[in-house]
Amino acid sequence: MPDDLSTRLKTATTPIPPTFFSTLITANHILHSQSIVDGYGHISSRSPQDPTIFYLSASLAPALVSTRADILAYRVSDGSPVPTSSLPPGHPSPDDRKHYLERFIHSELYKRYPDVHAVVHAHSEPVLPFSITSVPLRPVFHMAGVMSPTQVPVFDIGAHYNSSDGKHDLLVTNSRLGAALAAGFQPEGWVSKTGSFVRSFVERQVGMGKGEDEGVKYPPHSVVLMRGHGFTAVGTGVEEAVYRAIYTVVNARVQKDAVLLQGAWNTRVVGERVSKVGKEGYAGQEKDGTKLEGVRFLSEREGKEAWESNRGQVMRPWGLWVEEVKRAGFYKNEYWEKEKEGKTQG
């Protein structure tokens, strides 16, 4: 008897539309065009036909994903590729294809949060400093409510290794580590409030985070930094996840520039005050009104409501990004060629 997944896939009355795969291919190209990914990084999408599977490209540089054959089906339950025997005719076979080592990032997020329908993982350089220092990544302008209304959590994989992990290479290469990352999108839970040792012990003993939390369909944070690695962003659709990833990186750049600029200003102010101490016996009262300042972040309300306003505008930049990669002359998408052929024949 075929398994339930095989039956569902082979008897589905509504096939997945070509636009689903075309959009996923294009998303790979946009993330590369916007310098979010390079030769590494990936984006996936939950199947619109069956929520227990998701689609992710074979192990390729995102810019080189170009055909339906490059997109493979994986099980949400354990991140394994759906075998050829369970696939309906026309589905690319996972046999003889190399798979991403970190596909468990995707499977565990889909498993824990039913309303997550797309996942982006990237190693973008602008976010890395915020993953390895005590400086928090926080929204600093109105487009950055996409990350989190407050501070972006940092996932430290070092707290989640156990004796079965052969390599401590910072990669999320199994379901247990993927589940720990997925739990990091909901850090307000009681587990996150305990010490790192206790948290790590509890998760190893009882498998905390391996299943979805009852009632939590979408995480309170849409972006999580990964120490010394990069970040992962989620969305209710491919376009939204790409939007979140792009503006997370933009915010990181803006925040870094603001911190450097403010630091230079404060250094000048301190220097002038030190000079006055020597010349005038300066006692700390600044007559010209200059004072030390910090970077002004969005308030929690501003971050939340900025995203509420921008959420309905996601397709505006998406349309621009699509046209940019179409006209770049570098990216290939077999569905674009079919569109051109159809228009020519028409």
Side-chain angles (χ1 to χ4, degrees):
M1 292 291 291
D3 61 27
D4 290 342
L5 176 58
S6 174
T7 301
R8 289 197 301 272
L9 286 173
K10 291 182 177 180
T11 61
T13 56
T14 305
I16 298 176
T19 53
F20 173 86
F21 298 105
S22 178
T23 297
L24 189 53
I25 293 171
T26 299
N28 277 275
H29 300 165
I30 290 172
L31 290 170
H32 178 262
S33 174
Q34 296 294 316
S35 299
I36 308 303
V37 300
D38 48 18
Y40 297 93
H42 24 87
I43 179 171
S44 67
S45 183
R46 193 192 293 268
S47 170
Q49 189 183 67
D50 187 333
T52 69
I53 67 173
F54 66 96
Y55 287 91
L56 174 70
S57 79
S59 184
L60 295 167
L64 302 182
V65 177
S66 60
T67 70
R68 173 66 185 88
D70 292 332
I71 308 296
L72 305 179
Y74 293 87
R75 298 178 189 270
V76 167
S77 60
D78 60 4
S80 64
V82 177
T84 304
S85 60
S86 295
L87 294 170
H91 266 61
S93 170
D95 302 336
D96 302 321
R97 298 301 297 268
K98 193 172 182 179
H99 308 286
Y100 287 121
L101 296 175
E102 294 193 288
R103 59 189 181 276
F104 305 99
I105 291 174
H106 304 260
S107 60
E108 292 302 321
L109 279 163
Y110 291 130
K111 184 190 301 184
R112 188 180 181 99
Y113 304 111
D115 285 350
V116 166
H117 285 269
V119 177
V120 174
H121 173 62
H123 307 155
S124 307
E125 291 180 13
V127 306
L128 285 173
F130 296 96
S131 77
I132 57 176
T133 66
S134 59
V135 179
L137 181 62
R138 297 177 58 184
V140 294
F141 76 126
H142 72 293
M143 301 299 291
V146 299
M147 305 184 307
S148 165
T150 53
Q151 178 176 322
V152 179
V154 179
F155 171 69
D156 185 353
I157 196 171
H160 302 281
Y161 287 129
N162 66 22
S163 58
S164 67
D165 295 310
K167 293 182 179 179
H168 292 196
D169 54 10
L170 304 188
L171 301 181
V172 181
T173 55
N174 59 52
S175 293
R176 177 175 48 77
L177 294 175
L181 171 62
F185 282 75
Q186 190 186 351
E188 291 82 3
W190 69 270
V191 174
S192 68
K193 294 179 181 177
T194 63
S196 61
F197 173 79
V198 176
R199 178 174 65 248
S200 178
F201 175 80
V202 169
E203 289 179 349
R204 286 199 294 264
Q205 296 301 312
V206 303
M208 189 70 179
K210 289 188 177 180
E212 66 183 66
D213 284 356
E214 185 177 356
V216 179
K217 304 300 183 183
Y218 189 89
H221 294 273
S222 292
V223 178
V224 166
L225 303 185
M226 302 164 71
R227 178 181 63 82
H229 187 163
F231 76 96
T232 297
V234 300
T236 58
V238 167
E239 296 90 346
E240 182 182 304
V242 169
Y243 186 94
R244 290 186 188 276
I246 289 173
Y247 281 106
T248 292
V249 174
V250 172
N251 188 90
R253 292 195 187 103
V254 173
Q255 184 176 339
K256 182 193 72 172
D257 289 346
V259 169
L260 291 174
L261 183 63
Q262 189 66 66
W265 169 261
N266 288 346
T267 299
R268 182 191 72 82
V269 172
V270 170
E272 290 179 352
R273 291 180 182 178
V274 170
S275 177
K276 288 182 179 181
V277 169
K279 295 179 180 179
E280 306 172 11
Y282 179 64
Q285 298 298 318
E286 192 59 53
K287 295 180 180 180
D288 64 3
T290 57
K291 59 180 180 178
L292 299 181
E293 296 282 2
V295 174
R296 291 197 63 182
F297 301 101
L298 270 62
S299 67
E300 182 173 355
R301 178 178 179 178
E302 288 172 334
K304 180 180 179 181
E305 295 183 1
W307 168 238
E308 289 175 355
S309 295
N310 287 325
R311 189 169 195 169
Q313 307 299 318
V314 169
M315 295 308 294
R316 185 165 73 182
W318 173 265
L320 171 64
W321 297 330
V322 169
E323 287 303 312
E324 286 177 341
V325 296
K326 277 186 174 181
R327 301 183 187 196
F330 171 69
Y331 306 102
K332 296 180 180 179
N333 184 331
E334 70 172 352
Y335 293 97
W336 296 345
E337 299 305 318
K338 291 178 180 179
E339 288 175 7
K340 290 180 182 178
E341 291 174 4
K343 290 179 180 178
T344 301
Q345 293 174 0

